[in-house]
């Protein structure tokens, strides 16, 4: 009886193996192996960006090795080294800060693996280390935020505008560029005065902490909060309310990203302006990685198109944001 059972099992196994090998049912070979080092999960933006890259990899038939660095540069460097050892076809990563990548990128170059920068840029003397950058124009986002503020100050006939800035991660591209675009645009307007810039690291909890500190120090004098991302803005708003002020009325609030939660708060009038920064970079990443694998030329810099949402517009028609 035991023998019969064994034979049956063997037969079943054989049928299974034979079935798997049938060409019509064979899974398609992935077109490309892509190693992607995500920098962390600090915001709705980042989570939306990771999800989009995972979905687009599937759609494009790309096999994705995804590693999350949990906000630490050393984890990103280690991930890139693993991708090199694994001999992936293409490496992509979102650098948490701009400095400190030359050595590991030289290792990738020596291994003949092209590297795509996603979302953020690096600072290097050697332009050859990376193939291209796919990410938003952060400088322009800062300019858009400032232009909105200038229009708002005009419409309210303000003669002095006291601003506090809550910035993103120190030495990251969006922090540097958003600040530069904003400052360059307000600098010739005598009404504008930045009282203080504090670092909120793109985190909701830090946004709340920064706001508590700013309210304690400047209280009533604060006219405007320029916050480098939605997460920090959403952390700051309850603090403003707790201190007895009405966000959007007593204090003008300007944010960047455009995630669903911030857009809902904008519609309620508790944020005045949200400059869009889209995390949907997955399609461009897959297209570019496939081109690189096939030895084709790619554009050096790819910026997605972005909008500005504010209390100057009818906001009822905004499509669901997806992040
Ligand atoms: O604005 C912020 C995120 O690099 C554009 O990082 C990205 C920024 C985004 O954590 O929410």
């Amino acid at each position: 009886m035991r023998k019969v059972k064994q034979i049956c099992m063997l037969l079943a196994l054989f049928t299974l193996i034979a079935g798997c090998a049938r060409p019509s049912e064979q899974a398609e070979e992935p077109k490309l192996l892509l190693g992607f080092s995500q920098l962390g999960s600090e915001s709705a933006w980042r989570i939306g960006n990771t999800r989009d890259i995972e979905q687009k990899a599937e759609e494009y038939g790309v096999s994705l090795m995804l590693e999350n660095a949990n906000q630490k540069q050393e984890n990103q460097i280690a991930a890139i080294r693993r991708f090199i050892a694994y001999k992936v076809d293409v490496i992509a990563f979102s650098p948490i800060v701009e400095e400190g990548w030359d050595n590991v990128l030289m290792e990738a170059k020596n291994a003949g693996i092209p590297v795509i920068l996603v979302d953020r840029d690096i600072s290097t003397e050697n332009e050859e280390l990376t193939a291209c950058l796919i990410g938003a124009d952060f400088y322009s986002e800062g300019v858009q935020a400032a232009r909105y503020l200038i229009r708002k100050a005009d419409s309210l006939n303000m003669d002095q505008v006291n601003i506090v800035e809550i910035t993103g991660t120190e030495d990251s591209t969006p922090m540097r560029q958003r600040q530069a675009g904003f400052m360059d645009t307000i600098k010739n307007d005598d009404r504008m005065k930045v009282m203080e810039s504090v670092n909120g690291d793109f985190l909701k909890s830090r946004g709340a902490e920064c706001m508590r500190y700013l309210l304690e120090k400047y209280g009533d004098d604060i006219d405007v909060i320029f916050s480098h991302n939605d997460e920090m803005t959403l952390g700051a708003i309850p603090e403003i309310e707790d201190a007895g002020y009405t966000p959007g009325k007593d204090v003008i609030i300007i944010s960047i990203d455009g995630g669903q939660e911030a857009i809902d708060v904008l519609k309620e009038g508790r944020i005045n302006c949200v400059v869009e920064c889209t995390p949907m970079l997955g399609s461009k990443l897959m297209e570019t990685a496939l081109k690189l694998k096939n030895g084709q030329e790619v554009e050096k810099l790819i910026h997605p198109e972005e909008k500005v949402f504010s209390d100057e517009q009818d906001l009822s028609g905004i499509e669901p944001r997806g992040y």
Side-chain angles (χ1 to χ4, degrees):
M1 204 45 197
R2 231 165 106 209
K3 256 226 159 91
V4 177
K5 219 175 175 182
Q6 273 174 356
I7 290 170
C8 283
M9 272 171 74
L10 268 175
L11 269 175
L13 196 67
F14 179 74
T15 326
L16 197 76
I17 293 168
C20 287
R22 240 180 284 144
S24 59
E25 286 172 25
Q26 249 174 17
E28 232 181 80
E29 268 280 297
K31 296 185 193 111
L32 158 95
L33 178 56
L34 173 67
F36 174 57
S37 163
Q38 180 58 287
L39 67 87
S41 334
E42 72 284 2
S43 61
W45 190 100
R46 186 70 49 203
I47 291 161
N49 176 251
T50 305
R51 198 186 317 123
D52 184 55
I53 288 172
E54 284 174 322
Q55 282 169 357
K56 294 302 177 333
E58 264 205 66
E59 277 172 36
Y60 281 76
V62 168
S63 168
L64 182 68
M65 277 177 79
L66 175 79
E67 296 219 19
N68 188 323
N70 293 314
Q71 257 65 41
K72 288 209 169 66
Q73 181 174 29
E74 71 239 41
N75 291 347
Q76 290 203 283
I77 293 175
I80 295 171
R81 292 215 163 101
R82 277 193 291 279
F83 297 150
I84 297 171
Y86 208 83
K87 296 193 169 53
V88 300
D89 297 307
V90 177
I91 291 172
F93 78 113
S94 299
I96 181 152
V97 290
E98 292 194 341
E99 276 81 21
W101 302 100
D102 280 29
N103 288 345
V104 72
L105 292 181
M106 192 46 96
E107 292 167 30
K109 191 163 181 52
N110 291 338
I113 304 175
V115 176
I116 302 174
L117 294 167
V118 179
D119 166 30
R120 300 184 182 177
D121 205 352
I122 58 167
S123 158
T124 179
E125 306 268 279
N126 188 349
E127 289 293 314
E128 307 267 280
L129 291 178
T130 55
C132 61
L133 165 65
I134 304 169
D137 183 345
F138 302 130
Y139 185 86
S140 150
E141 292 169 355
V143 171
Q144 294 304 330
R147 285 194 183 146
Y148 165 81
L149 180 56
I150 292 170
R151 293 196 299 275
K152 185 76 177 174
D154 289 344
S155 74
L156 296 174
N157 285 320
M158 296 170 84
D159 46 27
Q160 167 136 7
V161 184
N162 292 331
I163 305 162
V164 291
E165 183 188 36
I166 307 180
T167 73
T169 305
E170 191 116 52
D171 299 332
S172 70
T173 318
M175 180 266 157
R176 288 178 170 171
Q177 297 290 315
R178 286 172 182 167
Q179 182 169 67
F182 186 82
M183 298 298 178
D184 287 351
T185 311
I186 59 166
K187 73 170 181 247
N188 294 324
D189 188 323
D190 293 337
R191 297 170 299 177
M192 303 290 165
K193 181 177 163 222
V194 178
M195 296 195 292
E196 192 164 338
S197 289
V198 283
N199 172 13
D201 210 11
F202 286 128
L203 295 168
K204 192 172 190 173
S205 57
R206 291 279 302 131
E209 244 172 71
C210 289
M211 198 64 242
R212 275 199 296 278
Y213 159 79
L214 292 166
L215 283 163
E216 223 162 82
K217 189 156 170 195
Y218 302 104
D220 231 15
D221 289 342
I222 304 175
D223 298 314
V224 179
I225 292 153
F226 170 43
S227 154
H228 284 198
N229 85 341
D230 289 348
E231 232 60 43
M232 297 187 296
T233 311
L234 294 167
I237 287 176
E239 300 297 329
I240 300 170
E241 288 167 335
D242 285 355
Y245 303 104
T246 308
K249 299 221 160 49
D250 299 333
V251 190
I252 299 166
I253 301 187
I254 305 173
S255 187
I256 301 185
D257 274 356
Q260 190 61 56
E261 201 179 339
I263 294 295
D264 292 343
V265 178
L266 171 72
K267 285 181 179 169
E268 292 164 12
R270 296 191 295 147
I271 294 179
N272 301 82
C273 174
V274 182
V275 178
E276 180 184 35
C277 177
T278 179
M280 307 306 184
L281 306 173
S283 296
K284 272 282 168 244
L285 171 59
M286 299 311 145
E287 283 161 21
T288 309
L290 286 163
K291 278 191 189 161
L292 286 171
K293 172 153 192 216
N294 298 331
Q296 287 166 260
E297 286 273 306
V298 299
E299 278 174 72
K300 262 281 178 203
L301 185 61
I302 300 170
H303 284 325
E305 285 211 8
E306 297 180 324
K307 301 191 191 81
V308 177
F309 304 108
S310 78
D311 55 8
E312 304 161 294
Q313 308 152 10
D314 171 12
L315 300 168
S316 58
I318 302 178
E319 300 277 321
R321 304 291 299 150
Y323 61 103

